[in-house]
Amino acid sequence: MTLPPATIDRLADRLLAAADAREALEPLTATTPDLDVASAYELQDALVARLLARGERLIGAKLGLTSRAKQVEMGVHEPIGGWLTDAMLVADGEAVRAATLGQPRVEPEIAFRLARDLAGADVTADEVLAATEVVMPAIEIIDSRYRAFKFTLPDVVADNASAARFALGEPVSPAGIPLDLVGVVFEIDGALVATAAGAAVLGHPAAAVAWWVRRLAASGRGLRAGEIVLSGALTGAVGIEAGSSARATVDRLGSVEVRFT
Ligand code: OOG
Ligand code: MG
């Protein structure tokens, strides 16, 4: 059962206002127990529509909770997806003002940029790779609108999968690179905090992208040529503060850095 449109609108307004005010909310499911996963994706669409209505441009999608490390960390054991806008993109090495975010955390990811549209209920990882123009090392800066990142599956779906900012390294052709076998090193202020392999996200980063494309097919949608897709954190996320910097290095893809001021 989905929620009435008026409820979806009211909750989308509340999430947007919380993001703008950097105010932390209690989980929506605490007061709206009827918020199931289907209505949460409708609410996510309503939230993203508000971002676009105020001038942001849709530039891609993101996966969340695709690795066991993240599922265990957040206590939510299913992958989720959300959307990226141009306002979320920060340049490699750019300084992000921590005060513009509520409770930022950073995570290392592998990003894709699509050469072709991708849609369909049976899309495979191989088809994702065939439709991929380039891959990039990425850092996602997530920021939950819920206090202390406490949420259930529908809550985090509604909150556009905690999307906030992301940075991309130099693009590389994926040809001949076994993206499941590449090593990943994540550093904060030059100190190693976590390591992983590409296989951490659903066995292969392209498999994570394929999962989202298949899920989108249920609502008649897909991804478009030129869009960027973040395939999900390969390690747990790390809280970060002004004065610190994060660097993700992926074998054969290179590295990307974000500084916080
Ligand atoms: C949800 C978003 C997780 C990822 O890459 O796993 C995510 C969260 O942990 O707040 O972006
Ligand atoms: Mg992420």
Side-chain angles (χ1 to χ4, degrees):
M1 211 200 66
T2 63
L3 292 174
T7 308
I8 299 269
D9 280 341
R10 180 171 54 78
L11 296 178
D13 288 339
R14 189 186 297 173
L15 283 169
L16 188 63
D20 287 345
R22 291 176 291 284
E23 168 207 348
L25 301 175
E26 294 311 315
L28 300 179
T29 49
T31 44
T32 310
D34 289 347
L35 180 65
D36 59 8
V37 175
S39 17
Y41 275 108
E42 284 181 34
L43 181 41
Q44 178 188 99
D45 287 342
L47 177 62
V48 173
R50 281 159 172 72
L51 300 179
L52 303 184
R54 66 186 191 187
E56 295 182 27
R57 200 162 48 81
L58 189 82
I59 60 168
K62 63 158 287 181
L63 279 297
L65 310 176
T66 45
S67 64
R68 183 161 163 74
K70 282 293 302 185
Q71 293 186 354
V72 168
E73 177 178 76
M74 307 319 292
V76 176
H77 298 273
E78 277 177 59
I80 59 176
W83 299 99
L84 302 172
T85 74
D86 60 338
M88 300 176 187
L89 180 62
V90 302
D92 186 6
E94 188 175 328
V96 174
R97 284 211 307 124
T100 60
L101 298 161
Q103 36 184 354
R105 294 182 180 180
V106 286
E107 0 177 89
E109 308 208 8
I110 292 174
F112 291 69
R113 191 167 72 217
L114 299 179
R116 296 203 297 273
D117 292 0
L118 255 180
D122 307 312
V123 164
T124 63
D126 283 344
E127 286 167 338
V128 168
L129 285 171
T132 297
E133 182 195 3
V134 288
V135 290
M136 295 153 278
I139 291 176
E140 183 176 30
I141 304 164
I142 52 170
D143 190 13
S144 180
R145 268 52 69 170
Y146 304 113
R147 191 180 322 281
F149 279 78
K150 287 274 182 313
F151 47 64
T152 66
L153 175 62
D155 293 305
V156 66
V157 165
D159 187 25
N160 195 25
S162 309
R165 304 280 190 280
F166 66 100
L168 303 171
E170 288 297 316
V172 175
S173 164
I177 301 182
L179 289 175
D180 52 344
L181 301 183
V182 294
V184 180
V185 168
F186 197 38
E187 293 161 85
I188 305 289
D189 299 329
L192 179 69
V193 290
T195 58
V201 286
L202 300 184
H204 194 297
V209 178
W211 176 84
W212 182 230
V213 175
R214 292 195 299 270
R215 183 148 204 324
L216 288 173
S219 51
R221 289 185 291 178
L223 299 174
R224 299 209 180 281
E227 284 186 342
I228 290 157
V229 190
L230 297 180
S231 57
L234 296 150
T235 71
V238 183
I240 190 136
E241 290 173 0
S244 282
S245 63
R247 171 179 291 271
T249 305
V250 182
D251 274 351
R252 319 227 350 217
L253 305 194
S255 64
V256 56
E257 187 179 22
V258 181
R259 297 182 296 123
F260 288 79
T261 56

